[in-house]
Amino acid sequence: MGGGAGQMTDSGFPLSRGEETVVEVSMSVNGETRTSDVEPRTLLVHYIRGALGLTGTNIGCDTSSCGACTIHVNGRSVKSCTMLAVQADGTEITTIEGLAGDDGELHPMQVAFMECHGLQCGYCTPGMVMAATSLVAENPDGLDEAAVRQGLEGNLCRCTGYHNIVKAVLSVGGTA
């Protein structure tokens, strides 16, 4: 982790710019290296939405209860409201905007959510898709309905579309 404007005090704390303490962070976001100065208390979700303009990562609760802000950090799903931007320094982040292929072709999980009607209002969908892709990747031998429900229990759908969400996940990573 770098220091404010790249400099640190002798005690190892970042330098202040006037009244504001900043820390330089650098991370790969959707395959592109992004470097910024952030306040040490900035939540990763606020950095992604505000500084990077990637608004597909939603803020639903700010308490880690809903999962709307789920992203991938080094390939694993993380609720970005539970992580500071400085903690993500040096990591590889994928947001919903980076899940599709470079040619714009949707990820199989995105297609499954559309085909299985796994979305209603759509607010939970980006976080749900990110959690589901990680869940499938972590279970290469396949999942059954109970495993999907348990694996996604940290992501809430207020429209109660769980049946179709589970159906979508199983269509991508279900057992035969």
Side-chain angles (χ1 to χ4, degrees):
M1 174 169 55
Q7 299 177 13
M8 301 288 263
T9 63
D10 290 337
S11 61
F13 292 103
L15 290 175
S16 294
R17 276 195 202 151
E19 301 281 325
E20 177 183 333
T21 300
V22 294
V23 175
E24 183 180 79
V25 295
S26 183
M27 60 197 79
S28 172
V29 180
N30 300 329
E32 181 182 333
T33 300
R34 305 295 295 261
T35 302
S36 304
D37 287 340
V38 299
E39 289 185 42
R41 64 183 178 179
T42 302
L43 291 174
L44 182 56
V45 68
H46 292 268
Y47 173 70
I48 289 168
R49 290 180 58 83
L52 303 182
L54 298 172
T55 57
T57 301
N58 291 322
I59 299 171
C61 66
D62 269 342
T63 61
S64 79
S65 297
C66 75
C69 67
T70 303
I71 60 170
H72 293 172
V73 178
N74 293 333
R76 298 194 54 126
S77 65
V78 171
K79 294 178 182 180
S80 59
C81 75
T82 65
M83 189 172 186
L84 299 171
V86 296
Q87 291 174 297
D89 188 41
T91 64
E92 183 177 317
I93 292 178
T94 304
T95 67
I96 193 71
E97 292 92 344
L99 200 57
D102 291 336
D103 59 358
E105 184 177 341
L106 294 178
H107 185 279
M109 189 65 71
Q110 292 170 307
V111 172
F113 266 68
M114 287 180 3
E115 290 178 351
C116 296
H117 307 287
L119 53 105
Q120 287 183 35
C121 82
Y123 200 80
C124 73
T125 305
M128 197 71 77
V129 167
M130 297 305 288
T133 57
S134 181
L135 180 63
V136 168
E138 292 167 11
N139 292 280
D141 294 332
L143 296 157
D144 61 15
E145 181 178 345
V148 171
R149 288 184 181 277
Q150 182 179 1
L152 295 181
E153 69 182 6
N155 290 72
L156 300 179
C157 172
R158 291 184 174 99
C159 299
T160 66
Y162 294 112
H163 177 73
N164 289 338
I165 291 168
V166 171
K167 188 172 142 183
V169 176
L170 289 173
S171 75
V172 175
T175 55

